[in-house]
Amino acid sequence: MPDDSVTFDRAADYYDETRGFPPGEEKNAAALICRAGNLTSASRVLEVGVGTGRIALPLAPCVRAVFGVDLSRPMMARLQARRSGEAVHPIQAGATQLPFPGSVFDAAVAVHVFHLIPAWRDAVRELARVLRPGGLLLTGYSGTGFRVLREAFIAALPPEHRGSVGVGTEEFAAFLTGEGWQPTGGPFTHRYTYHRSPGEYVDLLRRRVWSRTWRLTDEELEQGIAAVQAAIARHYGDPRRPAHLAAEFRLWAYRPPSPTSSV
Ligand SMILES: C[S@@+](CC[C@H](N)C(=O)[O-])C[C@H]1O[C@@H](n2cnc3c(N)ncnc32)[C@H](O)[C@@H]1O
């Protein structure tokens, strides 16, 4: 069956440069994952959508091993190039058909991935299968500031391009709890700051670094950028002046339903 998920082959060359954490924050994000998941040096962890290893590589030192699946070979080639002995094992596979037996992982991590997977419910079912009893699903995102600009961009797009092919954070949380997954505290949040000018944000849109822009025609992209430029004039003034942005890495932890409940 074809997988209509959004793969990141085209993003491999620029992903770390444009989407990475500011220096030092990778370790803080990894520490948050360890805390939220009660992970130890004995833990075996799965990351779905492991990409370039932005999450898995700094996480590896606090666990026994991270197995990472991704549809994109070029993204995982970046991971391999950055790796310096960490116990991270990338495997090309889709989240809806995991190449693992059942009940083998202490935790499954998914950061910025379910919005890319049309069959995300099947992916959830697979995660429930591979988590051992007592294991946890840790799902999260890193928010990047410039919320007002992002909202202006999305509002200017044709309605069919405003959403994602997969699921958003709120619908995902409602689905999990409806299916009997138990939240285990949280959300767990690490806040950090960084500098970026509104003009750089526009450049990144024009370079189509975010997957949201990949389906747009040139005209649709320019329409969104015009709305962003109007919002910059209203909220920031000089587009070249760096803004001090508040960002956050946020995680939710869930225990799977017991085998008697359906997923
Ligand atoms: C936005 S990146 C996130 C990478 C990493 N989790 C991070 O936070 O930096 C999403 C990744 O998920 C992968 N992906 C998309 N759909 C997938 C699927 N169905 N199964 C496995 N990986 C998938 C993409 O190829 C991409 O590498």
Side-chain angles (χ1 to χ4, degrees), residues 11-199:
D13 286 345
Y14 63 74
Y15 187 86
D16 290 327
E17 169 216 336
T18 57
R19 308 277 289 272
F21 288 110
E25 298 298 351
E26 289 195 342
K27 282 191 181 149
N28 293 327
L32 190 75
I33 293 173
C34 287
R35 185 157 64 82
N38 303 319
L39 302 179
T40 70
S41 57
S43 302
R44 285 160 62 93
V45 177
L46 169 68
E47 186 184 355
V48 289
V50 69
T52 61
R54 182 179 78 114
I55 304 295
L57 289 172
L59 178 62
C62 89
V63 299
R64 178 167 157 204
V66 182
F67 292 78
V69 298
D70 203 292
L71 292 171
S72 171
R73 267 187 198 281
M75 289 288 276
M76 290 187 292
R78 289 281 160 166
L79 184 161
Q80 294 283 26
R82 292 172 62 199
R83 185 174 162 197
S84 53
E86 294 92 341
V88 175
H89 308 287
I91 300 165
Q92 190 182 29
T96 56
Q97 283 189 303
L98 295 172
F100 304 104
S103 306
V104 285
F105 291 107
D106 299 293
V109 176
V111 178
H112 282 295
V113 70
F114 285 114
H115 67 295
L116 304 171
I117 306 177
W120 55 271
R121 291 180 186 80
D122 293 340
V124 170
R125 200 165 291 125
E126 273 295 80
L127 292 175
R129 181 182 70 76
V130 301
L131 281 171
R132 68 162 177 75
L136 291 178
L137 168 60
L138 305 168
T139 169
Y141 70 85
S142 40
T144 55
F146 280 142
R147 186 172 171 175
V148 70
L149 303 187
R150 197 169 60 250
E151 286 174 355
F153 182 74
I154 292 170
L157 300 181
E160 67 273 22
H161 291 321
R162 287 183 197 153
S164 60
V165 301
V167 64
T169 309
E170 282 171 22
E171 188 188 348
F172 189 65
F175 173 78
L176 288 183
T177 47
E179 294 293 319
W181 290 70
Q182 297 283 330
T184 65
F188 302 86
T189 306
H190 169 66
R191 294 192 170 80
Y192 56 94
T193 58
Y194 70 111
H195 289 91
R196 176 174 281 166
S197 72

